[in-house]
Amino acid sequence: MSANDAAIGLPLAELETPALCLDLDAYRRNVARMVRYIVTDHHLNWRPHMKGQKAVELAREAIAAGAIGVTCATLYEAEAMVSGGIGGVLIANQIAGARKLARLARLQRTSAVMAATDSLEHAQALNEAALAEGTAVPVLIELNVGMHRSGIAPGEPTVALAKAIVAMKGLRLAGLMGWEGHVLAFEDEAKREKITTAMQALTASAAQCRAAGIVIEIVSASGSGTFRMSAPLEGITEVQAGGGVFSDLSYRKWGLDHEFALTILTRVVSRPSATRVIVDGGFKTMSVQHGLPQPLGIPPVRNLALSAEHGNIELELPDDSLQVGDPVSFVPGYTDSTLCLHDEMCVLREGKLEAVWTIPGRTGRR
Ligand SMILES: Cc1ncc(COP(=O)(O)O)c(C=O)c1O
């Protein structure tokens, strides 16, 4: 049982801290905006990335609002989704190693979970695992559209891999994917140009495969910091944007104006001086990846430093309005790397705790 189960029905300020808090109404408004833009306005499928959301309840919410399924980063996340009854799962990464390939092949008996592949060697290993299990794994070929992470080169190398996969009995080629994550830090026209180049590499490769007689159903791409520019481009069939359902300081920086739906509640534990406020949340509670979190609704802050269990806030001016025991909420610098520090999420509506959801698959275990 979670510490905050006993706080159901109580106002935010009474939760045990530190606590990861979801404003369910703000989250739902963000989801509705994504559905409107992606599904209603641009007639694309939405398969939101759950790497930074994890909770099965959030997958159910997104699907009820119009998502076609969910995108996952790890096999472990995908298994958690499947055991929670979620269909339409895509693992947008390569799974490697004989035991895990066997797990992925076995998972197909419960639900058709798609996975990414980007080389002949990898596709052959997955094919063998599927044949050994007597299943077939639907795959998307991942292309390197400029991010230089995983992904095969667009064009001929993609077509050659697609042809090889079509001939494998243990795989079913479902389509192509590419993630234009390298453009996040760009703005306006420079960003639009880079997104267009990246998406053209993907959609032109899909056209080349089709010209070679290969069926490409799915062309999947895009994230929360790019989908507003990617979705209108011709040839993409679905969008993977996920973290925009919460938003945070990084997504703001990357051009998304969604509401902050996920916050961290901490509590003042010490006031060593009139300009220093110490709260019970440090870097084990709030990630510093992509930037520091920001306290909300307190006097102007000169500096914030996080040690393991302490947030050390230095105020611009002396102020005694914050007392030991007072709550202080923070908006995360990056929700993805913050949520995975927590075992559970406190779900609030109209300022009161409505539910506590567990966060499965939250570690680096893949
Ligand atoms: C494969 C893939 N697709 C999409 C995204 C975008 O995810 P989000 O919208 O949660 O930022 C990412 C982010 O890392 C990713 O790795």
Side-chain angles (χ1 to χ4, degrees), residues 49 51 92 149 177 179 222-224 240-244 251 334:
H49 213 312
K51 66 189 170 55
R149 193 171 65 179
M177 64 157 274
W179 161 225
S222 204
S224 302
Q240 297 177 3
Y251 288 118
Y334 190 39

Side-chain angles (χ1 to χ4, degrees), residues 34 48-53 71-73 92-93 142 147 149 177-181 184 221-227 240-244 251 254 334 336:
M34 293 175 88
H49 213 312
M50 300 303 289
K51 66 189 170 55
Q53 302 184 53
T71 301
C72 292
N93 280 324
E142 182 182 5
M147 193 184 181
R149 193 171 65 179
M177 64 157 274
W179 161 225
E180 67 280 21
L184 285 170
S222 204
S224 302
T226 58
F227 75 95
Q240 297 177 3
Y251 288 118
W254 297 331
Y334 190 39
D336 184 339

Side-chain angles (χ1 to χ4, degrees), residues 165-189:
I165 290 173
V166 167
M168 294 181 193
K169 295 264 183 298
L171 302 186
R172 186 179 74 71
L173 182 64
L176 308 183
M177 64 157 274
W179 161 225
E180 67 280 21
H182 57 294
V183 313
L184 285 170
F186 291 88
E187 287 175 20
D188 307 324
E189 276 319 298

Side-chain angles (χ1 to χ4, degrees), residues 5-357:
D5 275 341
I8 291 196
L10 296 180
L12 174 81
E14 294 192 31
L15 301 191
E16 285 199 23
T17 54
L20 182 74
C21 296
L22 178 70
D23 176 338
L24 190 60
D25 290 327
Y27 157 86
R28 284 179 176 161
R29 286 190 292 272
N30 289 339
V31 166
R33 286 183 68 181
M34 293 175 88
V35 169
R36 198 175 320 122
Y37 191 80
I38 297 164
V39 182
T40 312
D41 296 349
H42 292 95
H43 311 291
L44 300 176
N45 289 324
W46 183 38
R47 206 183 301 268
H49 213 312
M50 300 303 289
K51 66 189 170 55
Q53 302 184 53
K54 313 272 190 193
V56 173
E57 290 85 348
L58 291 174
R60 282 194 203 114
E61 282 270 341
I63 289 169
I68 191 180
V70 291
T71 301
C72 292
T74 69
L75 178 57
Y76 189 47
E77 267 173 39
E79 287 169 337
M81 289 295 153
V82 169
S83 63
I86 303 299
V89 177
L90 159 66
I91 305 172
N93 280 324
Q94 292 74 32
I95 302 300
R99 291 172 63 81
K100 287 175 70 175
L101 289 173
R103 256 165 69 198
L104 173 57
R106 225 172 293 136
L107 193 55
Q108 308 302 321
R109 295 212 185 93
T110 317
S111 184
V113 172
M114 294 186 280
T117 187
D118 67 351
S119 71
L120 186 59
E121 298 71 17
H122 178 262
Q124 280 167 338
L126 183 52
N127 180 50
E128 278 160 29
L131 293 175
E133 287 294 328
T135 58
V137 179
V139 292
L140 297 188
I141 297 177
E142 182 182 5
L143 276 66
N144 175 10
V145 294
M147 193 184 181
H148 305 312
R149 193 171 65 179
S150 307
I152 194 166
E156 266 318 306
T158 299
V159 178
L161 181 56
K163 282 181 182 162
I165 290 173
V166 167
M168 294 181 193
K169 295 264 183 298
L171 302 186
R172 186 179 74 71
L173 182 64
L176 308 183
M177 64 157 274
W179 161 225
E180 67 280 21
H182 57 294
V183 313
L184 285 170
F186 291 88
E187 287 175 20
D188 307 324
E189 276 319 298
K191 187 169 185 175
R192 192 182 301 280
E193 246 173 60
K194 285 187 182 294
I195 288 179
T196 306
T197 305
M199 293 301 95
Q200 271 169 356
L202 184 62
T203 56
S205 300
Q208 270 179 276
C209 287
R210 289 180 184 127
I214 300 161
V215 177
I216 300 292
E217 265 169 65
I218 295 176
V219 181
S220 178
S222 204
S224 302
T226 58
F227 75 95
R228 296 214 145 244
M229 290 181 177
S230 312
L233 301 172
E234 198 63 38
I236 296 160
T237 67
E238 68 177 55
V239 165
Q240 297 177 3
V245 301
F246 297 146
S247 194
D248 57 35
L249 299 173
S250 293
Y251 288 118
R252 278 282 158 92
K253 198 169 61 191
W254 297 331
L256 193 74
D257 65 350
H258 288 184
E259 294 176 57
F260 295 137
L262 197 73
T263 51
I264 308 294
L265 182 72
T266 67
R267 205 171 286 287
V268 178
V269 290
S270 175
R271 287 297 323 257
S273 77
T275 53
R276 193 165 299 287
V277 182
I278 308 298
V279 297
D280 60 357
F283 66 69
K284 290 185 180 172
T285 303
M286 302 180 274
S287 150
V288 295
Q289 171 78 10
H290 292 318
L292 283 167
Q294 195 176 292
L296 298 167
I298 68 167
V301 172
R302 180 185 302 258
N303 190 50
L304 169 69
L306 300 181
S307 51
E309 312 290 358
H310 296 86
N312 189 336
I313 303 170
E314 191 191 338
L315 300 175
E316 288 278 1
L317 298 170
D319 187 292
D320 62 6
S321 61
L322 281 169
Q323 306 283 318
V324 168
D326 284 351
V328 178
S329 286
F330 286 77
V331 57
Y334 190 39
T335 44
D336 184 339
S337 50
T338 295
L339 180 135
C340 67
L341 302 173
H342 296 260
D343 288 322
E344 62 197 23
M345 188 185 305
C346 294
V347 182
L348 292 112
R349 288 189 80 195
E350 292 169 4
K352 289 203 175 131
L353 184 64
E354 195 166 280
V356 180
W357 291 346

